[in-house]
Amino acid sequence: MALNRAEQRAATRQALLAEGRRRFAADGYHHVVLAEVAEAVGVTKGAAYHHFDSKAGLFRAVVCEVQRELGERVAAEAERHEDLWEQLRAGCRAFLAAGTDPAVRQILLVDAPAVLGWDEWRALDEESSARHLAEALTALTAAGIIAEQPVEPLARLLSGAMNEAALWIARGGDAQSGEQALDRLLAGLRTAP
């Protein structure tokens, strides 16, 4: 069965995203050539530019996809637990563990801040993982599990700490040591049970 025009466009876009993601993860942003991505999926360079305007546009779309998936992974890990405190720990651990995923490491932690700029990278992070963190901290504060305090600065502090720890792990730091340090940091927030 032949695809209609809209389905063909969607399939081409998805193929470019998948190949771009594979190459950005393996080679890093600066070593990827958009024409080679297009050729690998059997379309013209013009078709790639039609869908993404530029290599940076393709990269931005890949970053959004990886960031969304990471946010979903963090939320799924948190939701495996009934206890609010364990939800926070599980979500934070899932975020740190992402630093060991080569695609997440290269695309989100190494290239995205440099290519997109800090402000855009932070905005994308806030739409996914950081939003989940703020929601978890709000619930923990409301339940009295952590002391009453403004959530936004706390969420930013924890998000920054976890981004740095994930980057440290991505660059060869010991994931288990990072997780232990995270547990100690989080334990300092908890009110006495």
Side-chain angles (χ1 to χ4, degrees), residues 19 37 48 52 113 124 144:
E19 181 64 15
V37 173
F52 297 104
L124 291 172

Side-chain angles (χ1 to χ4, degrees), residues 80-176:
R80 292 178 61 200
H81 300 272
E82 297 268 334
D83 180 76
L84 290 174
W85 182 255
E86 290 306 316
Q87 288 178 357
L88 175 68
R89 289 182 66 226
C92 290
R93 284 177 171 198
F95 183 84
L96 276 192
T100 63
D101 178 326
V104 170
R105 176 179 54 236
Q106 186 64 47
I107 294 168
L108 280 189
L109 300 174
V110 175
D111 286 340
V115 174
L116 301 178
W118 180 254
D119 290 336
E120 186 173 355
W121 182 74
R122 284 294 304 141
L124 291 172
D125 182 53
E126 286 190 28
E127 290 174 16
S128 59
S129 301
R131 179 177 51 82
H132 294 298
L133 178 60
E135 290 168 358
L137 293 171
T138 298
L140 288 162
T141 301
I145 297 169
I146 62 174
E148 182 70 33
Q149 60 190 293
V151 169
E152 185 175 352
L154 179 59
R156 290 182 180 274
L157 283 167
L158 285 177
S159 179
M162 287 190 299
N163 280 329
E164 283 297 317
L167 190 53
W168 174 74
I169 290 168
R171 291 186 172 149
D174 178 54
Q176 186 176 3

Side-chain angles (χ1 to χ4, degrees), residues 13-28:
R13 185 178 196 287
Q14 190 53 46
L16 288 164
L17 267 173
E19 181 64 15
R21 181 177 181 155
R22 187 188 72 72
R23 288 180 183 238
F24 289 130
D27 304 329

